Amino acid sequence: MLKIHTIILLIAVFINFAYAKKTVLKIGYYNLPPHSYSDKGFPSGSAVEYLSKKIFTQKDYQIEWKHFPFARMMAELEAGKLDVGLLIAKNKTRARQFQYPKTYLYETKSGLITLKKSEIKEVKDLVQLSGKIIGHVSKSVRPKELVEAGAKFQDISGTDNLRRNLQKLKYKRIDAVYIPTLSHGVHFIKNNFQDDNFQVVQLPLKGYKLYTVFSKSISKKIVEHFDKKNKIHNQKYQSSLK
């Protein structure tokens, strides 16, 4: 009996030692399928899988996934309550707040979701959007070109924001919904609103580079580790999305 107890104790000590050697990372993510989303409380999506299997593997890292609405995730990251944030575009303010790696995770194309009966069926000139009310999400990026063209953004915050914006669009409370990531809009409609009269319209704009962003308190070695691994595996990530 003593031998069994001794073996169990040694196993427990070994497991604790193994975990103690691992670097714990609290990674925040938000709903941006197919890249990241919560599936019945579990972190899911191509970006979640990519970081788990190719970048921060179980051998050296223990990941604690934290799901938030986008604005809350950004606040938690800035406050240092998260170590990493997934799929964040770069601007001057954020560059001061966080550590950005040299390599990005994914480059987007942006667009609008409109009703099929809308006059907005194709956008060749942004002036077409002058005076249009466009649904969006608080704290998310927005092209200055759209603002300069006279488009009026109407923000919402909280969870399930794309679905809520599409409900507003359905009842014609807004003219369109802005989607910084075109693939997200296409995926969301296909899986949730296939029978509704929505369409996705690509905008004649450069897309956004979406980064895996690190808090200021994180060691630069971890950021460098991400860059090293991402340079090797990122093409596979792009291919997996196709």
Side-chain angles (χ1 to χ4, degrees):
M1 186 67 71
L2 284 174
K3 288 183 179 180
I4 294 173
H5 285 163
T6 302
I7 291 169
I8 292 172
L9 180 61
L10 287 172
I11 290 172
V13 169
F14 176 78
I15 291 172
N16 288 333
F17 179 72
Y19 272 103
K21 286 182 67 178
K22 293 183 179 182
T23 299
V24 178
L25 289 178
K26 295 178 182 178
I27 302 182
Y29 69 103
Y30 61 101
N31 283 344
L32 191 72
H35 306 275
S36 64
Y37 57 96
S38 176
D39 183 8
K40 298 178 182 178
F42 292 96
S44 301
S46 53
V48 170
E49 185 176 347
Y50 177 68
L51 258 69
S52 299
K53 293 184 177 180
K54 300 296 184 183
I55 309 296
F56 301 120
T57 58
Q58 290 184 354
K59 180 183 176 183
D60 299 309
Y61 293 90
Q62 180 185 344
I63 298 178
E64 295 179 6
W65 293 101
K66 306 287 184 179
H67 179 250
F68 296 107
F70 181 78
R72 173 77 185 280
M73 183 191 75
M74 296 295 285
E76 295 283 307
L77 187 61
E78 187 178 2
K81 295 179 181 179
L82 290 174
D83 302 311
V84 185
L86 269 190
L87 299 160
I88 301 174
K90 190 175 184 179
N91 59 31
K92 290 181 180 178
T93 301
R94 292 174 183 174
R96 291 193 296 269
Q97 293 171 327
F98 312 119
Q99 292 188 73
Y100 276 80
K102 294 177 181 178
T103 60
Y104 59 88
L105 188 59
Y106 178 72
E107 187 166 11
T108 73
K109 295 290 184 183
S110 61
L112 301 174
I113 299 175
T114 67
L115 294 171
K116 287 182 178 177
K117 293 182 179 179
S118 169
E119 62 186 51
I120 309 170
K121 296 189 182 301
E122 185 180 11
V123 179
K124 293 184 177 180
D125 190 329
L126 295 180
V127 175
Q128 293 172 239
L129 303 175
S130 178
K132 301 297 183 185
I133 300 173
I134 299 176
H136 197 25
V137 181
S138 299
K139 302 292 183 181
S140 184
V141 292
R142 66 197 60 207
K144 64 179 181 180
E145 295 93 337
L146 281 179
V147 177
E148 291 169 354
K152 299 177 181 178
F153 281 95
Q154 191 177 102
D155 292 346
I156 61 172
S157 59
T159 59
D160 214 9
N161 45 70
L162 181 53
R163 187 185 300 274
R164 287 160 52 215
N165 262 328
L166 288 176
Q167 289 295 331
K168 290 172 68 177
L169 176 61
K170 187 175 182 178
Y171 294 108
K172 299 181 180 179
R173 292 164 56 193
I174 54 179
D175 299 304
V177 179
Y178 176 65
I179 40 173
T181 307
L182 204 69
S183 58
H184 170 46
V186 171
H187 182 277
F188 193 85
I189 289 174
K190 182 179 178 181
N191 287 277
N192 297 276
F193 290 92
Q194 206 165 26
D195 297 329
D196 285 284
N197 295 312
F198 296 126
Q199 63 183 354
V200 176
V201 180
Q202 185 170 324
L203 289 170
L205 294 168
K206 290 182 178 180
Y208 291 100
K209 291 181 174 69
L210 299 182
Y211 290 82
T212 300
V213 175
F214 299 81
S215 75
K216 285 288 189 180
S217 61
I218 281 293
S219 166
K220 290 189 181 297
K221 288 183 178 180
I222 294 177
V223 184
E224 290 168 358
H225 169 84
F226 170 84
D227 271 327
K228 181 180 177 182
K229 292 289 186 179
N230 193 44
K231 284 179 182 178
I232 296 169
H233 298 294
N234 188 261
Q235 190 56 50
K236 291 180 182 177
Y237 179 70
Q238 305 297 332
S239 298
S240 73
L241 291 171
K242 295 177 183 177

